[in-house]
Amino acid sequence: MSATPDQLHRFVFEHANVRGELIHLDRTLQDVLARRQYPDAVTRLLGEALAASGLLSSILKFRGSLILQLQGQGALPMLVASATHEQDLRGIARLAENAEAPATGTPLNAVCEQGYLAITIDPDDTDDRYQGIVPLETERLGEAVENYFSQSEQLPTRVWLACDGKQAAGLLMQRLPGDAGEDADAWNRAEHLAATITEQELLELGPREIIGRLFHEEDIRLFEPGRVRFNCHCSRERLAGVLQGFGYDEARSIIAEQGEIEASCEFCGHTYRFDSVDVEQLFSDGGIAPPDATQH
């Protein structure tokens, strides 16, 4: 039984420019895994990616989504985890056809060979998207995320992630901009202390226990927790947009052959159906087929 299921806790060092976050996923991870089965090594990596996306989205001041994507060659050519500003998480992984399942404990850069980590920020209120990309040269996802922050010249950041296949957790520490305040050595001290955390502790201990274990001599302020959950934000309109990308002739060809077009969301499995009337409306005026309560 997890200590603090599906919550995100923020904390700060008083009188210093250091903040931290702890995330724990239990039901959220199980909801994601209920839709697809993966080898244990991929399940653990997906759990870590979900924890990482939740941690990263919560430190950004925007309304929208943060998408963490691994892409490369080898057994795992693609893995995606995303989190909204409301901490709605979803994720999916895609294994190479006929590839041998990676063994538990296989390093990240061996599971996703010659790969890269892309972190995309997609705000709701603008079409401007920001994406940072770093090569996957590390054995752990947390280290790859740290490389992203280092190469994008953002704030000094450390990340620790853990997943045992049933629950996932993460710890993020970050040095804030500005004057160091009354305690100039706080960041070095916090970074050193946080590095002593174990995966077992991340998964089994509650936030107060972790903070007490790591920073018992520090003056820490722990905020009220925020909820985290699995929630897919797919919609009929989004899938219709994908359908438009096929083109009118291709859409009509599918209708003629199958009678309707069936499109399913990879993240949650929800299915949307479009008939000939929907297709004609979609391409005649460039609009999106309206939602139909009878179609799911």
mmCIF file of all heavy atoms in Angstrom, residues 45 68-73 76-77 79 107-118 133-145 147 151:
data_model
loop_
_atom_site.group_PDB
_atom_site.id
_atom_site.type_symbol
_atom_site.label_atom_id
_atom_site.label_comp_id
_atom_site.label_asym_id
_atom_site.label_seq_id
_atom_site.Cartn_x
_atom_site.Cartn_y
_atom_site.Cartn_z
ATOM 1 N N LEU A 45 9.622 2.081 -16.932
ATOM 2 C CA LEU A 45 10.034 3.314 -17.587
ATOM 3 C C LEU A 45 8.849 4.236 -17.841
ATOM 4 O O LEU A 45 8.944 5.460 -17.660
ATOM 5 C CB LEU A 45 10.738 2.980 -18.908
ATOM 6 C CG LEU A 45 11.289 4.165 -19.706
ATOM 7 C CD1 LEU A 45 12.270 4.977 -18.874
ATOM 8 C CD2 LEU A 45 11.949 3.675 -20.994
ATOM 9 N N LEU A 68 6.276 14.720 -22.597
ATOM 10 C CA LEU A 68 7.610 14.127 -22.511
ATOM 11 C C LEU A 68 7.632 12.930 -23.450
ATOM 12 O O LEU A 68 6.822 12.014 -23.312
ATOM 13 C CB LEU A 68 7.903 13.719 -21.066
ATOM 14 C CG LEU A 68 9.276 13.154 -20.725
ATOM 15 C CD1 LEU A 68 9.597 13.408 -19.251
ATOM 16 C CD2 LEU A 68 9.376 11.654 -21.014
ATOM 17 N N GLN A 69 8.563 12.942 -24.404
ATOM 18 C CA GLN A 69 8.594 11.889 -25.415
ATOM 19 C C GLN A 69 9.992 11.317 -25.568
ATOM 20 O O GLN A 69 10.967 12.056 -25.682
ATOM 21 C CB GLN A 69 8.112 12.427 -26.768
ATOM 22 C CG GLN A 69 8.105 11.378 -27.871
ATOM 23 C CD GLN A 69 7.468 11.880 -29.151
ATOM 24 O OE1 GLN A 69 6.882 12.964 -29.168
ATOM 25 N NE2 GLN A 69 7.568 11.125 -30.218
ATOM 26 N N LEU A 70 10.068 9.984 -25.564
ATOM 27 C CA LEU A 70 11.292 9.273 -25.900
ATOM 28 C C LEU A 70 11.116 8.667 -27.278
ATOM 29 O O LEU A 70 10.086 8.043 -27.557
ATOM 30 C CB LEU A 70 11.567 8.155 -24.892
ATOM 31 C CG LEU A 70 11.642 8.530 -23.412
ATOM 32 C CD1 LEU A 70 11.901 7.285 -22.571
ATOM 33 C CD2 LEU A 70 12.715 9.570 -23.167
ATOM 34 N N GLN A 71 12.107 8.831 -28.119
ATOM 35 C CA GLN A 71 12.021 8.262 -29.456
ATOM 36 C C GLN A 71 13.403 7.794 -29.893
ATOM 37 O O GLN A 71 14.404 8.466 -29.647
ATOM 38 C CB GLN A 71 11.478 9.281 -30.455
ATOM 39 C CG GLN A 71 11.084 8.678 -31.782
ATOM 40 C CD GLN A 71 10.000 9.468 -32.490
ATOM 41 O OE1 GLN A 71 9.322 10.291 -31.880
ATOM 42 N NE2 GLN A 71 9.828 9.220 -33.775
ATOM 43 N N GLY A 72 13.442 6.622 -30.506
ATOM 44 C CA GLY A 72 14.716 6.098 -30.957
ATOM 45 C C GLY A 72 14.552 4.771 -31.660
ATOM 46 O O GLY A 72 13.509 4.481 -32.249
ATOM 47 N N GLN A 73 15.575 3.941 -31.561
ATOM 48 C CA GLN A 73 15.567 2.637 -32.186
ATOM 49 C C GLN A 73 15.635 1.565 -31.095
ATOM 50 O O GLN A 73 15.586 1.865 -29.922
ATOM 51 C CB GLN A 73 16.738 2.520 -33.164
ATOM 52 C CG GLN A 73 16.726 3.587 -34.249
ATOM 53 C CD GLN A 73 17.912 3.490 -35.177
ATOM 54 O OE1 GLN A 73 18.554 2.457 -35.285
ATOM 55 N NE2 GLN A 73 18.222 4.595 -35.850
ATOM 56 N N LEU A 76 12.338 -0.214 -27.892
ATOM 57 C CA LEU A 76 11.336 0.804 -27.564
ATOM 58 C C LEU A 76 11.529 2.025 -28.458
ATOM 59 O O LEU A 76 12.263 2.946 -28.105
ATOM 60 C CB LEU A 76 11.450 1.208 -26.093
ATOM 61 C CG LEU A 76 10.422 2.220 -25.581
ATOM 62 C CD1 LEU A 76 9.034 1.592 -25.557
ATOM 63 C CD2 LEU A 76 10.795 2.710 -24.187
ATOM 64 N N PRO A 77 10.876 2.065 -29.599
ATOM 65 C CA PRO A 77 11.049 3.221 -30.489
ATOM 66 C C PRO A 77 10.290 4.473 -30.054
ATOM 67 O O PRO A 77 10.613 5.573 -30.497
ATOM 68 C CB PRO A 77 10.521 2.714 -31.833
ATOM 69 C CG PRO A 77 9.574 1.615 -31.483
ATOM 70 C CD PRO A 77 10.110 0.982 -30.233
ATOM 71 N N LEU A 79 7.908 6.340 -26.610
ATOM 72 C CA LEU A 79 7.183 6.402 -25.338
ATOM 73 C C LEU A 79 6.778 7.850 -25.123
ATOM 74 O O LEU A 79 7.593 8.760 -25.315
ATOM 75 C CB LEU A 79 8.048 5.897 -24.185
ATOM 76 C CG LEU A 79 7.400 5.836 -22.794
ATOM 77 C CD1 LEU A 79 7.995 4.684 -21.970
ATOM 78 C CD2 LEU A 79 7.574 7.154 -22.031
ATOM 79 N N PRO A 107 19.503 -0.519 -19.094
ATOM 80 C CA PRO A 107 19.671 0.937 -19.116
ATOM 81 C C PRO A 107 18.798 1.606 -20.169
ATOM 82 O O PRO A 107 18.506 1.028 -21.222
ATOM 83 C CB PRO A 107 21.161 1.112 -19.442
ATOM 84 C CG PRO A 107 21.806 -0.161 -19.020
ATOM 85 C CD PRO A 107 20.784 -1.226 -19.267
ATOM 86 N N LEU A 108 18.408 2.827 -19.891
ATOM 87 C CA LEU A 108 17.541 3.576 -20.791
ATOM 88 C C LEU A 108 18.128 3.675 -22.192
ATOM 89 O O LEU A 108 17.438 3.457 -23.190
ATOM 90 C CB LEU A 108 17.310 4.986 -20.223
ATOM 91 C CG LEU A 108 16.608 5.990 -21.137
ATOM 92 C CD1 LEU A 108 15.193 5.533 -21.460
ATOM 93 C CD2 LEU A 108 16.590 7.367 -20.484
ATOM 94 N N ASN A 109 19.419 3.994 -22.303
ATOM 95 C CA ASN A 109 20.012 4.179 -23.620
ATOM 96 C C ASN A 109 20.210 2.870 -24.365
ATOM 97 O O ASN A 109 20.604 2.867 -25.539
ATOM 98 C CB ASN A 109 21.334 4.939 -23.517
ATOM 99 C CG ASN A 109 22.296 4.327 -22.515
ATOM 100 O OD1 ASN A 109 22.026 3.265 -21.948
ATOM 101 N ND2 ASN A 109 23.409 4.986 -22.289
ATOM 102 N N ALA A 110 19.928 1.732 -23.713
ATOM 103 C CA ALA A 110 19.947 0.439 -24.400
ATOM 104 C C ALA A 110 18.540 0.012 -24.797
ATOM 105 O O ALA A 110 18.349 -0.700 -25.778
ATOM 106 C CB ALA A 110 20.585 -0.631 -23.504
ATOM 107 N N VAL A 111 17.528 0.443 -24.027
ATOM 108 C CA VAL A 111 16.138 0.151 -24.378
ATOM 109 C C VAL A 111 15.693 1.002 -25.566
ATOM 110 O O VAL A 111 15.000 0.535 -26.467
ATOM 111 C CB VAL A 111 15.210 0.403 -23.174
ATOM 112 C CG1 VAL A 111 13.743 0.225 -23.568
ATOM 113 C CG2 VAL A 111 15.552 -0.521 -22.031
ATOM 114 N N CYS A 112 16.087 2.267 -25.553
ATOM 115 C CA CYS A 112 15.749 3.218 -26.622
ATOM 116 C C CYS A 112 17.061 3.660 -27.270
ATOM 117 O O CYS A 112 17.597 4.726 -26.960
ATOM 118 C CB CYS A 112 14.979 4.392 -26.039
ATOM 119 S SG CYS A 112 14.204 5.472 -27.263
ATOM 120 N N GLU A 113 17.583 2.852 -28.163
ATOM 121 C CA GLU A 113 18.908 3.070 -28.729
ATOM 122 C C GLU A 113 18.933 4.262 -29.686
ATOM 123 O O GLU A 113 17.980 4.508 -30.408
ATOM 124 C CB GLU A 113 19.371 1.809 -29.467
ATOM 125 C CG GLU A 113 19.461 0.576 -28.588
ATOM 126 C CD GLU A 113 19.781 -0.670 -29.396
ATOM 127 O OE1 GLU A 113 20.247 -0.531 -30.542
ATOM 128 O OE2 GLU A 113 19.545 -1.780 -28.879
ATOM 129 N N GLN A 114 20.055 4.984 -29.656
ATOM 130 C CA GLN A 114 20.257 6.137 -30.531
ATOM 131 C C GLN A 114 19.062 7.081 -30.463
ATOM 132 O O GLN A 114 18.624 7.633 -31.480
ATOM 133 C CB GLN A 114 20.506 5.677 -31.978
ATOM 134 C CG GLN A 114 21.697 4.742 -32.133
ATOM 135 C CD GLN A 114 21.872 4.270 -33.563
ATOM 136 O OE1 GLN A 114 21.699 5.048 -34.501
ATOM 137 N NE2 GLN A 114 22.219 2.997 -33.745
ATOM 138 N N GLY A 115 18.529 7.239 -29.273
ATOM 139 C CA GLY A 115 17.293 7.995 -29.118
ATOM 140 C C GLY A 115 17.495 9.404 -28.613
ATOM 141 O O GLY A 115 18.621 9.875 -28.400
ATOM 142 N N TYR A 116 16.374 10.062 -28.422
ATOM 143 C CA TYR A 116 16.398 11.411 -27.877
ATOM 144 C C TYR A 116 15.198 11.607 -26.965
ATOM 145 O O TYR A 116 14.186 10.896 -27.055
ATOM 146 C CB TYR A 116 16.404 12.461 -28.985
ATOM 147 C CG TYR A 116 15.178 12.477 -29.862
ATOM 148 C CD1 TYR A 116 14.014 13.156 -29.472
ATOM 149 C CD2 TYR A 116 15.171 11.835 -31.091
ATOM 150 C CE1 TYR A 116 12.887 13.184 -30.271
ATOM 151 C CE2 TYR A 116 14.037 11.850 -31.905
ATOM 152 C CZ TYR A 116 12.913 12.527 -31.491
ATOM 153 O OH TYR A 116 11.789 12.546 -32.282
ATOM 154 N N LEU A 117 15.327 12.560 -26.075
ATOM 155 C CA LEU A 117 14.247 12.995 -25.197
ATOM 156 C C LEU A 117 13.774 14.352 -25.684
ATOM 157 O O LEU A 117 14.573 15.278 -25.822
ATOM 158 C CB LEU A 117 14.737 13.099 -23.756
ATOM 159 C CG LEU A 117 13.846 13.880 -22.774
ATOM 160 C CD1 LEU A 117 12.540 13.146 -22.531
ATOM 161 C CD2 LEU A 117 14.578 14.130 -21.452
ATOM 162 N N ALA A 118 12.485 14.453 -25.956
ATOM 163 C CA ALA A 118 11.885 15.730 -26.350
ATOM 164 C C ALA A 118 10.863 16.135 -25.301
ATOM 165 O O ALA A 118 10.021 15.322 -24.899
ATOM 166 C CB ALA A 118 11.219 15.619 -27.726
ATOM 167 N N ILE A 133 15.089 19.384 -27.077
ATOM 168 C CA ILE A 133 15.483 18.015 -27.407
ATOM 169 C C ILE A 133 16.911 17.770 -26.947
ATOM 170 O O ILE A 133 17.799 18.597 -27.191
ATOM 171 C CB ILE A 133 15.374 17.753 -28.921
ATOM 172 C CG1 ILE A 133 13.933 17.936 -29.391
ATOM 173 C CG2 ILE A 133 15.863 16.358 -29.271
ATOM 174 C CD1 ILE A 133 13.762 17.794 -30.893
ATOM 175 N N VAL A 134 17.128 16.619 -26.280
ATOM 176 C CA VAL A 134 18.470 16.213 -25.887
ATOM 177 C C VAL A 134 18.655 14.743 -26.244
ATOM 178 O O VAL A 134 17.700 13.963 -26.211
ATOM 179 C CB VAL A 134 18.725 16.415 -24.378
ATOM 180 C CG1 VAL A 134 18.699 17.897 -24.021
ATOM 181 C CG2 VAL A 134 17.711 15.648 -23.538
ATOM 182 N N PRO A 135 19.868 14.338 -26.607
ATOM 183 C CA PRO A 135 20.107 12.926 -26.919
ATOM 184 C C PRO A 135 20.015 12.063 -25.669
ATOM 185 O O PRO A 135 20.320 12.520 -24.559
ATOM 186 C CB PRO A 135 21.530 12.924 -27.496
ATOM 187 C CG PRO A 135 22.166 14.155 -26.942
ATOM 188 C CD PRO A 135 21.071 15.164 -26.798
ATOM 189 N N LEU A 136 19.577 10.823 -25.847
ATOM 190 C CA LEU A 136 19.500 9.879 -24.733
ATOM 191 C C LEU A 136 20.864 9.208 -24.562
ATOM 192 O O LEU A 136 21.156 8.194 -25.195
ATOM 193 C CB LEU A 136 18.420 8.831 -24.981
ATOM 194 C CG LEU A 136 16.970 9.270 -24.808
ATOM 195 C CD1 LEU A 136 16.027 8.117 -25.122
ATOM 196 C CD2 LEU A 136 16.724 9.789 -23.394
ATOM 197 N N GLU A 137 21.673 9.775 -23.707
ATOM 198 C CA GLU A 137 23.020 9.262 -23.484
ATOM 199 C C GLU A 137 23.198 8.717 -22.077
ATOM 200 O O GLU A 137 24.309 8.363 -21.678
ATOM 201 C CB GLU A 137 24.042 10.366 -23.748
ATOM 202 C CG GLU A 137 23.985 10.918 -25.165
ATOM 203 C CD GLU A 137 24.872 12.120 -25.387
ATOM 204 O OE1 GLU A 137 25.190 12.811 -24.395
ATOM 205 O OE2 GLU A 137 25.247 12.358 -26.549
ATOM 206 N N THR A 138 22.118 8.654 -21.316
ATOM 207 C CA THR A 138 22.194 8.245 -19.924
ATOM 208 C C THR A 138 21.491 6.906 -19.711
ATOM 209 O O THR A 138 20.718 6.452 -20.545
ATOM 210 C CB THR A 138 21.539 9.290 -19.008
ATOM 211 O OG1 THR A 138 20.141 9.368 -19.313
ATOM 212 C CG2 THR A 138 22.173 10.661 -19.221
ATOM 213 N N GLU A 139 21.762 6.298 -18.553
ATOM 214 C CA GLU A 139 21.140 5.023 -18.217
ATOM 215 C C GLU A 139 19.814 5.193 -17.505
ATOM 216 O O GLU A 139 19.035 4.247 -17.417
ATOM 217 C CB GLU A 139 22.095 4.202 -17.332
ATOM 218 C CG GLU A 139 23.385 3.814 -18.027
ATOM 219 C CD GLU A 139 24.247 2.903 -17.183
ATOM 220 O OE1 GLU A 139 23.854 2.628 -16.021
ATOM 221 O OE2 GLU A 139 25.293 2.454 -17.678
ATOM 222 N N ARG A 140 19.551 6.400 -16.992
ATOM 223 C CA ARG A 140 18.331 6.642 -16.227
ATOM 224 C C ARG A 140 17.577 7.832 -16.800
ATOM 225 O O ARG A 140 18.168 8.817 -17.240
ATOM 226 C CB ARG A 140 18.658 6.908 -14.749
ATOM 227 C CG ARG A 140 19.446 5.811 -14.061
ATOM 228 C CD ARG A 140 18.667 4.500 -14.020
ATOM 229 N NE ARG A 140 17.404 4.639 -13.337
ATOM 230 C CZ ARG A 140 17.252 4.465 -12.017
ATOM 231 N NH1 ARG A 140 18.301 4.147 -11.258
ATOM 232 N NH2 ARG A 140 16.062 4.594 -11.466
ATOM 233 N N LEU A 141 16.245 7.760 -16.737
ATOM 234 C CA LEU A 141 15.422 8.837 -17.263
ATOM 235 C C LEU A 141 15.629 10.126 -16.479
ATOM 236 O O LEU A 141 15.654 11.217 -17.058
ATOM 237 C CB LEU A 141 13.951 8.428 -17.239
ATOM 238 C CG LEU A 141 12.952 9.480 -17.734
ATOM 239 C CD1 LEU A 141 13.257 9.902 -19.166
ATOM 240 C CD2 LEU A 141 11.517 8.945 -17.625
ATOM 241 N N GLY A 142 15.765 10.021 -15.158
ATOM 242 C CA GLY A 142 15.973 11.214 -14.352
ATOM 243 C C GLY A 142 17.198 11.995 -14.797
ATOM 244 O O GLY A 142 17.193 13.231 -14.840
ATOM 245 N N GLU A 143 18.265 11.299 -15.159
ATOM 246 C CA GLU A 143 19.478 11.956 -15.630
ATOM 247 C C GLU A 143 19.253 12.622 -16.974
ATOM 248 O O GLU A 143 19.797 13.702 -17.250
ATOM 249 C CB GLU A 143 20.610 10.924 -15.730
ATOM 250 C CG GLU A 143 21.007 10.320 -14.396
ATOM 251 C CD GLU A 143 21.904 9.103 -14.556
ATOM 252 O OE1 GLU A 143 22.003 8.589 -15.689
ATOM 253 O OE2 GLU A 143 22.520 8.690 -13.563
ATOM 254 N N ALA A 144 18.455 11.989 -17.836
ATOM 255 C CA ALA A 144 18.144 12.596 -19.135
ATOM 256 C C ALA A 144 17.359 13.892 -18.954
ATOM 257 O O ALA A 144 17.589 14.875 -19.670
ATOM 258 C CB ALA A 144 17.359 11.609 -19.989
ATOM 259 N N VAL A 145 16.419 13.911 -18.004
ATOM 260 C CA VAL A 145 15.661 15.134 -17.728
ATOM 261 C C VAL A 145 16.589 16.222 -17.199
ATOM 262 O O VAL A 145 16.475 17.399 -17.573
ATOM 263 C CB VAL A 145 14.520 14.850 -16.733
ATOM 264 C CG1 VAL A 145 13.817 16.146 -16.332
ATOM 265 C CG2 VAL A 145 13.509 13.874 -17.331
ATOM 266 N N ASN A 147 19.684 16.559 -17.960
ATOM 267 C CA ASN A 147 20.429 17.049 -19.121
ATOM 268 C C ASN A 147 19.608 18.047 -19.927
ATOM 269 O O ASN A 147 20.143 19.019 -20.474
ATOM 270 C CB ASN A 147 20.846 15.885 -20.019
ATOM 271 C CG ASN A 147 21.962 15.060 -19.415
ATOM 272 O OD1 ASN A 147 22.634 15.492 -18.482
ATOM 273 N ND2 ASN A 147 22.167 13.861 -19.935
ATOM 274 N N GLN A 151 21.067 21.716 -20.720
ATOM 275 C CA GLN A 151 21.322 22.174 -22.076
ATOM 276 C C GLN A 151 20.393 23.290 -22.507
ATOM 277 O O GLN A 151 20.712 24.062 -23.413
ATOM 278 C CB GLN A 151 21.231 20.993 -23.053
ATOM 279 C CG GLN A 151 22.311 19.948 -22.826
ATOM 280 C CD GLN A 151 22.357 18.895 -23.915
ATOM 281 O OE1 GLN A 151 21.981 19.153 -25.061
ATOM 282 N NE2 GLN A 151 22.817 17.702 -23.573
#
